[in-house]
Amino acid sequence: DADVTQTPRNRITKTGKRIMLECSQTKGHDRMYWYRQDPGLGLRLIYYSFDVKDINKGEISDGYSVSRQAQAKFSLSLESAIPNQTALYFCATSDGGNYGYTFGSGTRLTVV
Amino acid sequence: EDQVTQSPEALRLQEGESSSLNCSYTVSGLRGLFWYRQDPGKGPEFLFTLYSAGEEKEKERLKATLTKKESFLHITAPKPEDSATYLCAVQGSNDYKLSFGAGTTVTVRA
């Protein structure tokens, strides 16, 4: 099993719909992150969490919300999806040490 | 704000043709510079962490070096399986996140 699992892998949704992307990890790390990746822009941080009771906004949090249900689970929601939220979304974990992040395989989201 | 710029955007190499990728950065108090490899349809995979100017790390045909303003990823005698997008990221003194460059997509032809 993968260390970081994201579901779904692919999703097409309509403008205005609410959608949730889920992430679970078996690394035992406290820190979890949500990034989006767009061609030519690299990975940009949406939200991050250092423990179950700690949630922080990243550089592009508008239009998104998150929930940290447990140490191992961190979900990202789009309250009312819009086409410019079409992107590849990655969840990542870290222990704050020397090996950076462990990433999931990503969710490709298309908003039509 | 931390900034990372990678060049070139794309690099096409013949098998065995060595080359280098550049990562220029500005950061307030570098805690670490990270290199990742990303294959199509997959998440980034950790390669190296560099902490101070002059440091070098190697893994198979890859070698990463660091100066005070930039890092280089050298690919020696590449093979087709080295084809991927290589991402550079920095972690500043605030310690809460990595800031990523847009990546360099390397294609190695047999």
Side-chain angles (χ1 to χ4, degrees), chain B residues 18 22 32 35 39 45 49 59-60 69-70 80 90 94-95 99 107:
Chain B
S18 300
N22 178 264
W35 282 99
D39 292 305
E45 179 182 341
T49 309
K59 180 180 181 179
E60 296 182 355
K69 294 184 177 181
E70 56 192 352
V90 296
N94 57 32
D95 195 36
S99 297
T107 304

Side-chain angles (χ1 to χ4, degrees), chain A residues 10 18 20 28 32 52 54 59 65 74 91 94:
Chain A
N10 293 281
R18 185 178 190 275
M20 179 182 288
M32 297 189 74
V52 175
D54 177 70
E59 55 189 302
S65 63
F74 193 36
C91 175
S94 84

Side-chain angles (χ1 to χ4, degrees), chain A residues 6-15 17-21 34-38 46 63-64 76-90 106-112:
Chain A
Q6 293 184 235
T7 56
R9 288 299 312 275
N10 293 281
R11 180 74 182 267
I12 300 173
T13 192
K14 293 184 177 180
T15 297
K17 293 291 187 181
R18 185 178 190 275
I19 182 171
M20 179 182 288
L21 310 183
W34 276 104
Y35 280 85
R36 68 177 276 176
Q37 187 175 38
D38 299 275
I46 306 172
Y64 301 95
L76 175 72
S77 293
L78 284 67
E79 300 302 323
S80 179
I82 57 177
N84 75 1
Q85 291 177 315
T86 293
L88 193 52
Y89 290 85
F90 286 102
T107 294
R108 184 170 296 281
L109 177 66
T110 304
V111 183
V112 298

Side-chain angles (χ1 to χ4, degrees), chain B:
Chain B
E1 184 176 330
D2 302 341
Q3 289 194 324
V4 180
T5 303
Q6 292 187 246
S7 61
E9 291 184 12
L11 189 61
R12 293 177 63 86
L13 301 172
Q14 198 67 33
E15 184 173 5
E17 178 189 1
S18 300
S19 189
S20 295
L21 285 56
N22 178 264
C23 171
S24 299
Y25 66 90
T26 56
V27 64
S28 176
L30 180 70
R31 293 181 65 91
L33 184 140
F34 300 81
W35 282 99
Y36 289 84
R37 170 189 170 125
Q38 185 176 20
D39 292 305
K42 295 187 176 181
E45 179 182 341
F46 171 79
L47 290 173
F48 305 109
T49 309
L50 301 167
Y51 296 101
S52 58
E55 188 174 2
E56 299 181 351
K57 294 275 180 73
E58 287 188 67
K59 180 180 181 179
E60 296 182 355
R61 294 174 293 282
L62 301 177
K63 179 180 177 179
T65 62
L66 181 65
T67 72
K68 289 186 177 180
K69 294 184 177 181
E70 56 192 352
S71 177
F72 292 94
L73 184 66
H74 307 278
I75 309 178
T76 301
K79 299 182 177 182
E81 53 262 43
D82 294 321
S83 297
T85 296
Y86 293 87
L87 302 173
C88 173
V90 296
Q91 186 174 28
S93 57
N94 57 32
D95 195 36
Y96 71 83
K97 72 177 182 73
L98 298 185
S99 297
F100 285 84
T104 295
T105 299
V106 175
T107 304
V108 183
R109 296 166 290 174

